[in-house]
Amino acid sequence: MNVLVTGGAGYIGSHTCVELLNAGHRVLVIDNLCRSNPEALNRVRKITGKELLFRRIDLLDYDPLLAALREFSPDAVVHFAALKAVGESVRMPLTYYENNLAGTLNLCRAMSAVNCKNLVFSSSCTVYGNPARVPVTEASPTQNAECPYGRTKLFVEEILRDAAAADAAWHIALLRYFNPVGAHPSGLLGEDPRGTPNNLLPYIALVAAGKLPELSVFGNDYPTPDGTCIRDYLHVVDLAKGHLAALDGLPRFAGARAWNFGTGAGVSVLEVIAAFASVSGKKIPYKIAPRRAGDVVATYADPTRAREELNWSAELPLAQMCADAWRWQTQNPDGY
């Protein structure tokens, strides 16, 4: 089928393009490249030996977006394009609301105009806020998102639910994934943040490589076994394959439906540091810093629904996530 991927030059988007192309789909990437690099798409072509189309378009710019969709005639859309840094969203909430909400509204308008109503939306576990109980199921409350980034994901989910309730032609997967990490095993694709990374594993990799002096661990007085925050880390390749499972499952589910994508196991910050040090053979200097605004104590998924309804499960362990992230770092010391 023809699959449009917004934000396809980004970290998760580029890995998903690999899986889509390998599965025989025709792919168009739309990306404004504000947080990504077009070299990632060249790497996708190299890994797969297949061509993909690319248009540099901002979702806030409706007319070229609509023209691209009319030319490509997508059967389905996988929507990644969004700003996603928790801390930055606390400092710049209006930018996040404009980009993430208005961009999605424009996308849905354009999809309706070309009669494409199959959508896989990149949501996030941040919609659960600071959950009262773990593991988190899809039925867990979603009204307590702790930061503007999380609220944009929550608001978009509500918008998409309303759209699907008003028009039965919509089939929408709301993929609430937890903490994607790692890189493609080839070492050709990985997470390439601009400037200082906001996410844990890329930061650890730069410390291990000697490019940053030490890691700041934000808080060691949380009510967890070692005092640091707990997250559910899953390999980005597992996650990319999950998007194919969601695309395949869309026809079976009417309206908008949510699925958690995670391993079902929580790992603390200190445990991730230890795992990366073991794989890389490098010492990871760190210091304890004050708690960070927007962080939650512990969150990890109950992925039962995805396993039962989409036949998807995360398979790759933490050691593999760290090994692939380290391979990416050593083969691409300056990113793309």
Side-chain angles (χ1 to χ4, degrees):
M1 77 174 87
N2 286 354
V3 182
L4 167 66
V5 181
T6 72
Y11 173 46
I12 304 170
S14 59
H15 285 80
T16 300
C17 286
V18 168
E19 302 302 326
L20 288 167
L21 290 170
N22 282 340
H25 298 296
R26 183 169 175 254
V27 175
L28 167 64
V29 168
I30 286 179
D31 199 308
N32 68 4
L33 302 180
C34 75
R35 301 288 173 91
S36 56
N37 192 313
E39 175 59 23
L41 301 179
N42 293 330
R43 304 285 184 91
V44 170
R45 295 180 180 103
K46 183 174 182 180
I47 290 169
T48 62
K50 298 180 180 181
E51 187 51 66
L52 82 166
L53 304 171
F54 170 64
R55 299 288 184 272
R56 184 171 184 174
I57 298 171
D58 193 311
L59 295 188
L60 297 178
D61 198 352
Y62 180 75
D63 289 341
L65 172 64
L66 177 59
L69 265 69
R70 282 177 169 160
E71 179 184 358
F72 184 65
S73 298
D75 300 298
V77 175
V78 183
H79 178 30
F80 294 106
L83 299 175
K84 66 179 185 66
V86 169
E88 182 182 66
S89 78
V90 174
R91 299 190 304 272
M92 304 166 55
L94 297 183
T95 299
Y96 271 67
Y97 288 125
E98 179 183 28
N99 187 84
N100 295 4
L101 272 65
T104 301
L105 289 170
N106 275 349
L107 176 64
C108 290
R109 286 173 56 208
M111 290 176 64
S112 293
V114 299
N115 198 32
C116 172
K117 296 185 178 180
N118 297 310
L119 176 63
V120 175
F121 173 58
S122 169
S123 192
S124 168
C125 67
T126 58
V127 302
Y128 296 117
N130 201 345
R133 296 182 180 84
V134 289
V136 177
T137 74
E138 290 83 357
S140 297
T142 59
Q143 70 268 24
N144 297 315
E146 294 285 309
C147 65
Y149 160 66
R151 282 189 282 277
T152 67
K153 292 297 187 182
L154 180 58
F155 295 162
V156 169
E157 283 198 10
E158 293 303 312
I159 290 167
L160 296 177
R161 287 186 188 279
D162 286 344
D167 182 352
W170 281 101
H171 293 259
I172 302 173
L174 309 172
L175 302 188
R176 297 171 178 167
Y177 32 84
F178 282 62
N179 292 74
V181 296
H184 194 270
S186 66
L188 293 173
L189 284 180
E191 192 166 3
D192 184 26
R194 297 186 177 185
T196 303
N198 290 299
N199 295 332
L200 178 61
L201 221 67
Y203 204 109
I204 291 176
L206 289 176
V207 172
K211 289 182 169 290
L212 291 173
E214 63 183 2
L215 171 73
S216 292
V217 176
F218 297 104
N220 67 342
D221 58 350
Y222 287 100
T224 62
D226 64 19
T228 64
C229 291
I230 288 175
R231 299 289 183 269
D232 186 342
Y233 297 94
L234 73 157
H235 200 295
V236 66
V237 172
D238 276 336
L239 178 56
K241 292 177 179 178
H243 290 78
L244 268 70
L247 278 175
D248 291 341
L250 274 182
R252 301 196 303 272
F253 300 96
R257 186 161 178 79
W259 286 277
N260 286 339
F261 276 11
T263 66
V267 182
S268 76
V269 174
L270 294 184
E271 288 174 325
V272 175
I273 293 171
F276 201 98
S278 176
V279 164
S280 66
K282 301 290 185 178
K283 181 177 175 59
I284 313 294
Y286 67 89
K287 67 177 180 181
I288 304 301
R291 293 186 181 191
R292 182 173 57 180
D295 278 343
V296 301
V297 177
T299 182
Y300 54 94
D302 179 346
T304 301
R305 179 184 287 183
R307 182 178 67 250
E308 293 181 347
E309 295 183 351
L310 301 178
N311 195 31
W312 175 88
S313 295
E315 298 177 351
L316 300 172
L318 179 62
Q320 187 68 48
M321 302 175 207
C322 293
D324 288 339
W326 183 235
R327 182 181 302 107
W328 158 257
Q329 176 61 49
T330 55
Q331 292 183 198
N332 305 269
D334 299 312
Y336 291 115

